[in-house]
């Protein structure tokens, strides 16, 4: 079967983080249509994991998510400034240090996520960070309300079940980490 073809495109909106475009399309049966697409650069999400005799613990950040009107816990994640395209592992290390002050001796890519493929081109690379060293964070101005903390595995999983962690990328990344650990 043929795929959908783009026959025209126009940018509707642009800022420092994204663009919105509207594409005129032609479906496989020849009929015309439109598609609105949010274009955002690839992001990196980092699962900071520390293992000791007491067990595993994971570092999360909490910030106010304006579209939801609520504070949310999630794994550190983000894109490069100005929609720059940089190496995913470099971006992951940058986001980890920026948001939490942590650095990792090992940064292992464990998967790829599509944020909302029905409306956005954005994809995310998921990394497991181990060999953690703590230091000062270097947050961007927009992240001034951010907090970060370590959570034990049982506590984090309870937060997920209780709806305190609802970020889809964080939940999907957790699943990837569990699958890699099998």
């Amino acid at each position: 079967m043929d795929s959908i073809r783009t026959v025209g495109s126009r940018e509707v909106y642009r800022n420092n983080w994204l663009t919105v475009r509207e594409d005129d399309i032609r479906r496989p049966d020849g009929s015309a249509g439109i598609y609105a697409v949010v274009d955002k650069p690839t992001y990196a999400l980092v699962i900071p994991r520390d293992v000791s005799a007491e067990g595993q613990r994971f570092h999360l950040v909490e910030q106010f998510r304006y579209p939801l009107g609520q504070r949310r816990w999630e794994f550190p994640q983000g894109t490069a400034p100005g929609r720059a395209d940089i190496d995913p592992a470099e971006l992951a290390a940058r986001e980890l240090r920026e948001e939490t002050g942590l650095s990792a001796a090992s940064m292992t890519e464990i998967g790829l996520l599509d944020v909302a493929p029905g409306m956005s081109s954005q994809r995310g690379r998921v990394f497991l960070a181990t060999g953690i060293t703590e230091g000062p964070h270097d947050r961007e101005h927009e992240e001034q309300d951010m907090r970060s903390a370590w959570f034990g595995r049982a506590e984090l999983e309870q937060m997920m079940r209780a709806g305190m962690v609802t970020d889809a990328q964080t939940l999907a990344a957790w699943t990837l980490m569990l699958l890699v650990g099998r």
Side-chain angles (χ1 to χ4, degrees):
M1 177 176 238
D2 294 335
S3 63
I4 296 173
R5 289 184 303 116
T6 304
V7 294
S9 186
R10 67 186 161 284
E11 188 176 284
V12 177
Y13 176 79
R14 171 184 293 268
N15 66 26
N16 289 336
W17 301 277
L18 61 87
T19 60
V20 177
R21 69 175 203 269
E22 188 172 84
D23 293 348
D24 295 314
I25 62 162
R26 186 78 53 203
R27 295 181 187 93
D29 69 358
S31 63
I34 61 168
Y35 231 106
V37 179
V38 178
D39 284 319
K40 292 187 76 171
T42 298
Y43 69 94
L45 179 147
V46 184
I47 302 172
R49 181 177 71 186
D50 184 50
V51 180
S52 68
E54 292 83 39
Q56 296 182 66
R57 63 183 187 150
F58 300 88
H59 204 95
L60 279 77
V61 296
E62 185 206 42
Q63 62 187 314
F64 182 75
R65 288 303 193 180
Y66 182 83
L68 298 176
Q70 299 177 348
R71 296 188 66 80
R72 285 290 177 243
W73 285 101
E74 58 199 39
F75 287 126
Q77 57 191 288
T79 60
R83 297 190 311 256
D85 184 22
I86 66 174
D87 175 72
E90 181 182 328
L91 178 58
R94 180 185 175 281
E95 286 298 318
L96 181 63
R97 183 180 57 258
E98 177 185 291
E99 293 185 1
T100 67
L102 303 176
S103 57
S106 174
M107 189 78 71
T108 305
E109 186 171 341
I110 62 170
L112 174 67
L113 301 174
D114 292 328
V115 175
M119 63 179 234
S120 178
S121 64
Q122 190 176 38
R123 307 187 94 187
R125 300 281 176 181
V126 179
F127 292 84
L128 180 62
T130 56
I132 302 294
T133 303
E134 298 194 37
H137 64 75
D138 186 24
R139 296 182 182 135
E140 294 176 348
H141 184 71
E142 292 84 5
E143 298 168 332
Q144 61 186 284
D145 71 329
M146 184 177 281
R147 297 183 294 201
S148 66
W150 287 102
F151 297 95
R153 181 177 177 156
E155 182 180 12
L156 176 53
E157 289 177 345
Q158 176 55 35
M159 291 168 66
M160 291 173 177
R161 286 191 297 275
M164 294 172 64
V165 176
T166 58
D167 173 58
Q169 281 60 243
T170 293
L171 296 170
W174 183 258
T175 301
L176 285 171
M177 185 199 69
L178 294 177
L179 292 171
V180 167
R182 286 187 174 182

